[in-house]
Amino acid sequence: MISRRVGGWFLRVLPYGVMVLVAAIDYVGGPGHAFLPILSLGPAFASLTGGVWRMVVVGAVAVTLAGLLAAYNGLLGTRTAYLSIVTIAGVVAAGIFAGKIRQDRARELADIRTVAEAAQRVLLRPVPTRVGSIHAAVRYISATARARIGGDLYEVVVTPRGVRLIVGDVQGKGLDAVETAAAVLGTFREAAYDERDLAGVATRLERTLSRRLNEEEFVTAVLAELQVADRILLLNCGHPAPLVLRADGCVELVEPSEPAPPLGISPLADIRPPLSEVPFAPEDQLLLYTDGVIEARDARGAFYPLVERAGLLRDDDPEKALDRLQADLLAHSASPFQDDAAMLLLRRRSDAPSPEGIPATSAPQGPG
């Protein structure tokens, strides 16, 4: 923050400093050394960040100094003086044009961000932060420079059959990936209420994707269900294995008993993903994430060691725990993210009732 303020201040005073320096050198050099054309550097530097009115002010100062120095050097009415003023005027005109384009693009970017944030509130809604004994937190890092959403998805739904959730990753990027993610989430939100088990939810998702995707497109996902307080049911469709952090410090990856293909190609393979049952004792934590987390590379090309960094999640507040993990992930990455990254953390507290029949409370904030 301080470096930005210093940099902004420097760019604001730079044009005036350059013109004062040129005028001082011309004055010290005497009438025999005219530096009038160099005054155009002031408007040139102002065009880097200046708006229309800033360019007009800097241009007026430059023309005034050019007139004063021309009089001091005895060049008034000469070709040199006229060329210097024309040069300054040309640079000012170019700066005004560039400033206008920059302002238009800034407004366009602001509009894009507004639309992206509105889409985010519809597509990636805030998850319930507390359902009985289960506390949840979510973070989302988009690889798209001008938006905060992409092909990764997550959702937590409280149903009469328990708490059901999904974390997934759409193959591909761009608007098509966002549209596919929206279709998956819309289907999941309905199927989570209607279907008796996770296999039925997965079948509904397959039907939706079979109407949207071609043979080379797919969606990896983990479906989870909390029916009772001491266990979690997991159904993994070609997604990175969830991470369980036990209260005693043990860390494990929940790999499915048999590999299953992602959603969208399962009908071709005719393989139903197996259901895993994972103990979930008080103070245990479950982290669901997308491959953008574990595929983030440092300067040497090493992937992010999620299992080794799992200790960062040890905090009574899941929000603070994910803040630390996200900060460490961003520090590890040597370059901007090449893929979206989503993380959903569940923690079972020992001082609250089980999740059945407990109304959920939602945080007002969206993904981080």
Side-chain angles (χ1 to χ4, degrees), residues 119 123 140 142-152 169-182 212 217 338-340:
L123 180 60
Y140 191 100
S142 176
T144 306
R146 291 191 173 188
R148 296 174 60 189
I149 55 176
D152 288 9
D169 185 3
V170 178
Q171 179 261 342
K173 298 180 181 180
L175 184 58
D176 289 341
V178 175
E179 291 177 347
T180 300
R212 284 193 56 89
E217 297 175 322
Q338 301 300 312
D339 194 8
D340 301 324

Side-chain angles (χ1 to χ4, degrees), residues 94-318:
I96 291 175
F97 182 71
K100 183 66 169 57
I101 294 177
R102 185 165 52 248
Q103 289 177 349
D104 291 342
R105 289 183 176 177
R107 283 193 293 268
E108 179 183 359
L109 179 58
D111 291 340
I112 291 174
R113 287 175 175 170
T114 300
V115 173
E117 290 175 0
Q120 180 191 55
R121 287 191 292 269
V122 175
L123 180 60
L124 300 178
R125 302 181 302 192
V127 302
T129 57
R130 181 180 300 180
V131 185
S133 64
I134 305 300
H135 290 199
V138 66
R139 293 293 181 272
Y140 191 100
I141 305 172
S142 176
T144 306
R146 291 191 173 188
R148 296 174 60 189
I149 55 176
D152 288 9
L153 56 97
Y154 58 82
E155 181 62 289
V156 177
V157 178
V158 183
T159 76
R161 294 182 175 86
V163 180
R164 289 176 171 175
L165 56 94
I166 183 173
V167 171
D169 185 3
V170 178
Q171 179 261 342
K173 298 180 181 180
L175 184 58
D176 289 341
V178 175
E179 291 177 347
T180 300
V184 171
L185 288 174
T187 301
F188 175 78
R189 287 163 183 160
E190 293 184 0
Y193 279 95
D194 299 339
E195 300 297 330
R196 298 185 59 181
D197 52 30
L198 289 182
V201 177
T203 300
R204 288 273 292 273
L205 293 173
E206 287 284 4
R207 292 173 182 169
T208 296
L209 293 174
S210 66
R211 296 191 294 266
R212 284 193 56 89
L213 305 182
N214 58 43
E215 297 180 357
E216 298 179 353
E217 297 175 322
F218 57 85
V219 177
T220 68
V222 171
L223 307 178
E225 179 178 280
L226 288 78
Q227 290 185 337
V228 295
D230 61 352
R231 67 172 182 167
I232 293 180
L233 300 179
L234 295 173
L235 193 151
N236 193 326
C237 303
H239 200 76
L243 183 146
V244 177
L245 181 63
R246 300 296 180 189
D248 60 4
C250 179
V251 178
E252 60 181 280
L253 293 175
V254 184
E255 298 282 358
S257 58
E258 298 179 6
L263 297 169
I265 61 176
S266 294
L268 299 178
D270 196 24
I271 299 176
R272 297 185 66 86
L275 194 66
S276 302
E277 184 174 318
V278 181
F280 201 51
E283 305 307 324
D284 284 353
Q285 296 188 91
L286 175 71
L287 178 68
L288 305 176
Y289 55 93
T290 57
D291 57 9
V293 175
I294 55 177
E295 292 180 359
R297 296 175 181 265
D298 62 12
R300 297 173 297 177
F303 292 114
Y304 183 70
L306 178 61
V307 175
E308 298 177 12
R309 307 292 176 85
L312 295 171
L313 296 174
R314 297 199 173 281
D315 195 291
D316 290 339
D317 186 352

